[in-house]
Amino acid sequence: DTAVSQTPKYLVTQMGNDKSIKCEQNLGHDTMYWYKQDSKKFLKIMFSYNNKELIINETVPNRFSPKSPDKAHLNLHINSLELGDSAVYFCASSQVSSEAFFGQGTRLTVV
Amino acid sequence: AQSVTQLDSQVPVFEEAPVELRCNYSSSVSVYLFWYVQYPNQGLQLLLKYLSGSTLVKGINGFEAEFNKSQTSFHLRKPSVHISDTAEYFCAVVAGNNRKLIWGLGTSLAVNP
């Protein structure tokens, strides 16, 4: 039974399109995150939600908008996709000051 | 501000040799420390963590790490590596009750036969 699941696993799309990535956790955690991992493996936090409330919003283009319908779900919507958005996006969840549990990642390729 | 430095970006090693992956952090408050492993084309998996108590922490797959407060380090060790340990290893820190994990840039461990 997957703890943190995100869909889709692969996403290939054209520049200018709008796409969404979904994430769900069944661990009962209060906090969820979106990370971006670039080709050099650097992990950059994008957003964090705690009980549906946005608590971390790093310097991310406005084209990226997270939505948390409930504390078990955190979706990421991306408008007007650009080539530089190509990366692996990871969803994660945790309790306060404890380890994060990661999804398997969504590899986004913008062509 | 907190930061994490992984001193080696790449570590090549032969199978069955010992390995140490170095991690140093900076923080003025108490910290929780983590090592994660990322196998090719997979997500990140927790290897081990230090929250409190014994400074020597044992994790999965035969890895262990030692928290050294005076040197602000949390180096990861394994006495004998396998080919299957080839992966990216990330050190991460949470300071106090901050929810934000601070990540190192990762160390790529390549185990050669």
Side-chain angles (χ1 to χ4, degrees), chain B:
Chain B
Q2 291 85 35
S3 66
V4 176
T5 302
Q6 291 185 241
L7 295 152
D8 307 294
S9 60
Q10 294 183 329
V11 174
V13 64
F14 287 110
E15 196 173 17
E16 297 183 7
V19 72
E20 178 180 80
L21 307 183
R22 296 180 291 170
C23 174
N24 285 88
Y25 67 92
S26 66
S27 174
S28 58
V29 298
S30 61
V31 294
Y32 304 122
L33 298 147
F34 307 90
W35 274 101
Y36 284 82
V37 60
Q38 184 179 26
Y39 298 107
N41 300 315
Q42 293 192 25
L44 282 79
Q45 178 183 0
L46 182 71
L47 264 181
L48 47 78
K49 62 184 176 184
Y50 172 79
L51 302 181
S52 64
S54 173
T55 56
L56 182 62
V57 180
K58 293 192 183 298
I60 62 171
N61 301 340
F63 283 91
E64 63 180 32
E66 185 153 20
F67 170 52
N68 188 320
K69 189 174 180 180
S70 62
Q71 296 186 4
T72 60
S73 68
F74 191 54
H75 300 334
L76 181 70
R77 301 185 184 99
K78 185 169 182 178
S80 175
V81 294
H82 301 140
I83 298 280
S84 59
D85 292 322
T86 294
E88 196 80 19
Y89 291 80
F90 292 92
C91 182
V93 167
V94 169
N97 63 358
N98 193 331
R99 293 182 179 87
K100 187 174 174 180
L101 270 167
I102 309 297
W103 294 87
L105 294 181
T107 297
S108 181
L109 176 65
V111 181
N112 300 300

Side-chain angles (χ1 to χ4, degrees), chain A residues 40-108:
Chain A
K40 293 184 179 178
K41 300 291 186 182
F42 179 57
L43 269 171
K44 176 182 159 65
I45 189 167
M46 301 172 71
F47 302 103
S48 176
Y49 271 73
N50 181 255
N51 281 324
K52 302 194 298 175
E53 182 181 343
L54 182 65
I55 56 169
I56 294 175
N57 184 352
E58 296 294 299
T59 306
V60 176
N62 290 338
R63 300 181 293 102
F64 290 80
S65 54
K67 283 191 171 50
S68 182
D70 54 61
K71 76 172 195 177
H73 296 83
L74 180 61
N75 303 322
L76 183 66
H77 188 75
I78 315 169
N79 289 327
S80 303
L81 278 154
E82 300 177 357
L83 292 176
D85 298 331
S86 295
V88 182
Y89 292 84
F90 286 102
C91 177
S93 72
S94 75
Q95 292 289 64
V96 173
S97 300
S98 190
E99 70 268 30
F101 290 77
F102 283 78
Q104 288 299 296
T106 296
R107 184 174 295 275
L108 172 65

Side-chain angles (χ1 to χ4, degrees), chain A residues 5-13 19-23 34 75-76 78 87-91 103-109:
Chain A
S5 61
Q6 53 182 110
T7 56
K9 189 169 181 180
Y10 299 97
L11 186 52
V12 181
T13 188
K19 290 293 177 186
S20 292
I21 308 172
K22 295 186 175 182
C23 179
W34 277 110
N75 303 322
L76 183 66
I78 315 169
V88 182
Y89 292 84
F90 286 102
C91 177
Q104 288 299 296
T106 296
R107 184 174 295 275
L108 172 65
T109 304

